[in-house]
Amino acid sequence: MSDKLLALLNSPVGPRTTHFWGPVANWGFVLAGILDANKPPELISSRMTTVLFFYSCLFMRFAYKVTPRNYLLFACHFSNASAQAYLLFRKYNAEKQIAAAAAQNKQ
C-alpha cells in the first residue's frame, strides 16, 4: 500500500472513525433536500425545513471547532444548509404569490 493511502486509513478523520462515517451518513439529508427541490412548494414543510437549516448551521460550527477539524462534516452541513435555504426561499415565494393572488381576487 502506498504511504498516502496508509496515512488516510490511519488519519484521525479517516474511514476507521466516526469522524468519517457520520458525515457520510449525513449526506442523506443533503440528497433529500435536493430531491425535495423538485416537489411543489405546497408540499414543503416550512417548520421542518427551518429546523434542518438551523441544525446544519449549528453542526457546521461544531465541525469547524472539533479537534481535529472535520471538513467532510462541514461540507455536508454547508450543502444541507444551502439546500434547505433554497427550499425555504421557494416556500416563501409560493406563499407570497398565493397571498397576492388572494388579495387581487378579493378586490
Side-chain angles (χ1 to χ4, degrees):
M1 268 189 198
S2 73
D3 291 338
K4 289 184 180 182
L5 183 59
L6 281 174
L8 173 68
L9 287 174
N10 296 323
S11 167
V13 291
R16 293 182 180 175
T17 67
T18 58
H19 289 285
F20 177 81
W21 291 107
V24 168
N26 275 326
W27 280 101
F29 288 129
V30 179
L31 180 63
I34 291 169
L35 292 175
D36 282 351
N38 296 324
K39 292 182 180 177
E42 299 81 30
L43 296 179
I44 297 171
S45 168
S46 55
R47 285 184 181 180
M48 187 62 180
T49 304
T50 302
V51 167
L52 284 171
F53 173 77
F54 284 111
Y55 161 82
S56 285
C57 289
L58 289 171
F59 271 90
M60 274 193 290
R61 182 183 184 285
F62 169 79
Y64 188 76
K65 293 289 185 179
V66 71
T67 303
R69 286 196 174 136
N70 194 334
Y71 292 112
L72 180 59
L73 183 64
F74 184 87
C76 170
H77 284 293
F78 179 82
S79 301
N80 189 43
S82 300
Q84 301 305 324
Y86 174 70
L87 291 174
L88 284 172
F89 177 75
R90 285 186 63 223
K91 180 73 171 178
Y92 172 76
N93 278 344
E95 288 177 355
K96 193 167 78 170
Q97 288 175 354
I98 290 169
Q104 191 174 20
N105 287 339
K106 202 175 200 183
Q107 293 176 355

